[in-house]
Amino acid sequence: MAGTASTKGRGGMSDQRRHRLRLDVSREASRLFWAQGVDATSGDQIAEAVGLSTRTIWRHFRSKESCAEPIVMRGVEWEMSTLRSWPPQLSLEVHFAAESNKFGREASDVERMDTELAIKMIRLADTEPAIRTAWLMACDQVEREMAEIIAGRLGLPAEDLDVRVHAAAASAALRVLNEHIGAAILEGTDPRDFADAPAQIARALRAATGGVVGDPVTT
């Protein structure tokens, strides 16, 4: 609705516009971080790369390292979107395979480039503590959303202890898979070798939850 699009955030900027600006800054910052390292990258360089004033950068980010956060979050957005849209009547394997094929057909160049940048930032997190913090923050958000998704599948509240344990285990499995696949691709493995990644994700989530999550929901 029109009222939603005009919702104002900080400084009178709409939330949608603020999100786009933060993502644009994050793209340029991530490119610089990957090319020359975090320490060698300044706020002024990030601002110049995106065509903004340094003051504007600090208005939207608390530090130069936090500029990586929106792109890092893009690294798990597809999985979370897929899980949120998981129909009750489908198994996790079937749903992930269908959504993966859809992404392969329909993803824009920007979405593919963002995915590549996210892979690079997740890999950089191994050696850059500040980027690691951004990655772990994204993983924490995944765990919270995973609890809501699992609760819905099991018909339990998200605060239920079993739900929280399953969500923690499932999000950890997703983190490990993202790190493993991303590192392999950056080291030269052909991405086509991970054509079975959706099935790997489904198996990992099943294993992490002891088989509780993965099957169709029957009524």
Side-chain angles (χ1 to χ4, degrees):
M1 295 176 65
T4 302
S6 62
T7 300
K8 298 294 183 180
R10 270 189 312 188
M13 180 180 290
S14 72
D15 290 342
Q16 187 178 39
R17 184 182 170 202
R18 181 170 179 266
H19 174 75
R20 287 199 304 266
L21 186 148
R22 281 175 51 82
L23 192 51
D24 287 343
V25 171
S26 192
R27 289 180 180 118
E28 296 304 328
S30 297
R31 291 185 182 107
L32 288 167
F33 291 158
W34 183 254
Q36 60 191 34
V38 175
D39 288 344
T41 301
S42 68
D44 289 341
Q45 286 178 311
I46 295 171
E48 182 179 359
V50 79
L52 296 171
S53 68
T54 305
R55 182 178 178 181
T56 300
I57 299 297
W58 302 143
R59 189 178 300 133
H60 293 277
F61 293 92
R62 65 186 180 280
S63 66
K64 68 176 183 181
E65 294 86 358
S66 70
C67 291
E69 290 172 7
I71 279 294
V72 168
M73 193 63 202
R74 297 280 273 182
V76 292
E77 279 183 356
W78 179 83
E79 288 98 335
M80 297 314 300
S81 175
T82 298
L83 285 166
R84 285 192 294 267
S85 66
W86 181 13
Q89 70 274 15
L90 295 183
S91 71
L92 188 55
E93 289 86 350
V94 169
H95 180 56
F96 258 102
E99 290 301 306
S100 179
N101 290 334
K102 180 180 177 181
F103 182 85
R105 295 190 309 269
E106 300 179 3
S108 67
D109 290 341
V110 170
E111 287 174 318
R112 295 179 192 279
M113 287 188 290
D114 282 353
T115 298
E116 182 180 342
L117 273 176
I119 289 172
K120 289 178 176 178
M121 289 302 97
I122 293 168
R123 185 70 179 90
L124 194 61
D126 281 347
T127 56
E128 294 281 2
I131 305 300
R132 186 69 179 176
T133 298
W135 174 224
L136 293 178
M137 286 174 61
C139 293
D140 181 69
Q141 180 62 33
V142 167
E143 182 177 331
R144 293 172 187 273
E145 291 199 38
M146 194 78 77
E148 296 287 344
I149 293 164
I150 292 173
R153 301 288 293 188
L154 301 182
L156 295 169
E159 298 78 18
D160 181 86
L161 180 59
D162 286 341
V163 168
R164 292 176 61 194
V165 170
H166 291 321
S171 62
L174 194 58
R175 174 183 59 79
V176 170
L177 271 174
N178 272 298
E179 292 175 350
H180 170 73
I181 293 173
I185 289 173
L186 291 175
E187 289 167 6
T189 300
D190 190 329
R192 289 173 295 185
D193 289 349
F194 292 106
D196 66 338
Q200 288 188 41
I201 293 172
R203 287 196 301 270
L205 296 191
R206 279 183 182 277
T209 61
V212 172
V213 176
D215 290 337
V217 174
T218 57
T219 56

